Amino acid sequence: RPHSCPRHPGACTMLPLLLLLLPAAHGIAQLKYKPALTKEPPLEGVTTASTFVIDQPRCVFRGYDNAVIWLVVALDKAPFNNTAAPGTSETAFQDFPDPVRAYMTLNTTLSNYPCPKPDGDIAVLRVGSETSCAGDRMRPTCNGPLPGPGPYRVKFLALEGSVPVAETDWSTPITLREAKPPSSISVTDSGHSAGMIAITTILSILFAILLAALVATLFWGSDSCGGSSTFSKPESVTVRRYNTHHVYDQPAARL
């Protein structure tokens, strides 16, 4: 009868394993490049409460003209599987940071990272700048606002089809700014000491007194200019009583 492995039965077990390890044996090229926050002089807001800005990987992925370059954003020290497909539930932004610990975004081709950089170009990427798709599960590769201060790590990963072919190193941890709640803001921290508050209060009181005195001066000054406006104490008026003579002067005998 036919035998698939007549002499070495163990070869039947090893063959599928070798086929699985073949892509891993080919390996992913490790590029000596570490993403970092940009130092472009005219750019402000390199880190905010929900975004940060890194340099584009110019002149990094030479020779990978057919690849699509992705940015991987992960929580610091969170593992990431390079074979995870972008745009799936395993790498969707909408589920970051729990349960998804790393997502893929900002995919582009090498033509958008020209080398060398043309003069005048600001070759940066702002991570977390898209707000319109943050809750849209139809766009799992959204470059949405980051949910907290982090810290985060990023790296660039090149895929040819669904196969990872090259990657950069991880960046150093990136921490975003934290907005202080109003209750935690101290008056002295903002440059207004207790002495300044006291001086301001005293000046406000003096200004109010001065304003009241000015109004009173204007009022009494107008009274002294016009005689018709002078008020004097009214004199008491006495009313004399008169009896009509034609009633009481006639003698009763004449009636």
Side-chain angles (χ1 to χ4, degrees), residues 66-77:
N66 297 325
V68 176
I69 302 169
W70 292 82
L71 178 70
V72 181
V73 183
L75 291 175
D76 187 26
K77 299 180 181 179

Side-chain angles (χ1 to χ4, degrees), residues 40-238:
E40 290 278 355
L43 194 63
E44 297 182 359
V46 174
T47 59
T48 67
S50 60
T51 68
F52 60 87
V53 182
I54 60 175
D55 289 320
Q56 295 179 0
R58 300 292 181 98
C59 305
V60 175
F61 290 91
R62 288 172 173 164
Y64 297 95
D65 298 343
N66 297 325
V68 176
I69 302 169
W70 292 82
L71 178 70
V72 181
V73 183
L75 291 175
D76 187 26
K77 299 180 181 179
F80 177 73
N81 180 12
N82 283 335
T83 61
T88 63
S89 59
E90 190 178 357
T91 58
F93 166 79
Q94 287 76 17
D95 292 325
F96 181 79
D98 187 21
V100 172
R101 310 296 283 176
Y103 66 95
M104 301 174 68
T105 186
L106 293 176
N107 57 305
T108 188
T109 59
L110 193 60
S111 60
N112 290 319
Y113 293 145
C115 176
K117 183 187 79 168
D119 293 338
D121 278 10
I122 299 178
V124 298
L125 298 173
R126 181 171 289 276
V127 182
S129 62
E130 293 184 72
T131 58
S132 60
C133 58
D136 186 0
R137 290 191 171 273
M138 299 299 293
R139 294 186 60 188
T141 60
C142 175
N143 180 30
L146 295 163
Y152 303 98
R153 293 184 305 155
V154 297
K155 74 173 181 179
F156 291 98
L157 178 65
L159 302 181
E160 290 184 353
S162 60
V163 179
V165 292
E167 66 176 348
T168 67
D169 293 333
W170 287 101
S171 68
T172 56
I174 299 172
T175 302
L176 304 185
R177 297 182 181 182
E178 291 189 73
K180 291 184 178 181
S183 59
S184 67
I185 299 176
S186 173
V187 175
T188 56
D189 291 341
S190 60
H192 300 288
S193 62
M196 289 294 295
I197 296 175
I199 293 174
T200 303
T201 304
I202 294 172
L203 291 177
S204 300
I205 295 174
L206 291 177
F207 178 76
I209 294 173
L210 180 62
L211 183 61
L214 180 61
V215 172
T217 302
L218 292 175
F219 177 76
W220 290 110
S222 62
D223 288 346
S224 60
C225 294
S228 60
S229 300
T230 304
F231 294 93
S232 61
K233 182 178 179 182
E235 297 181 357
S236 60
V237 179
T238 57

Side-chain angles (χ1 to χ4, degrees), residues 235-243:
E235 297 181 357
S236 60
V237 179
T238 57
V239 179
R240 296 181 180 181
R241 183 177 181 182
Y242 292 92
N243 293 329

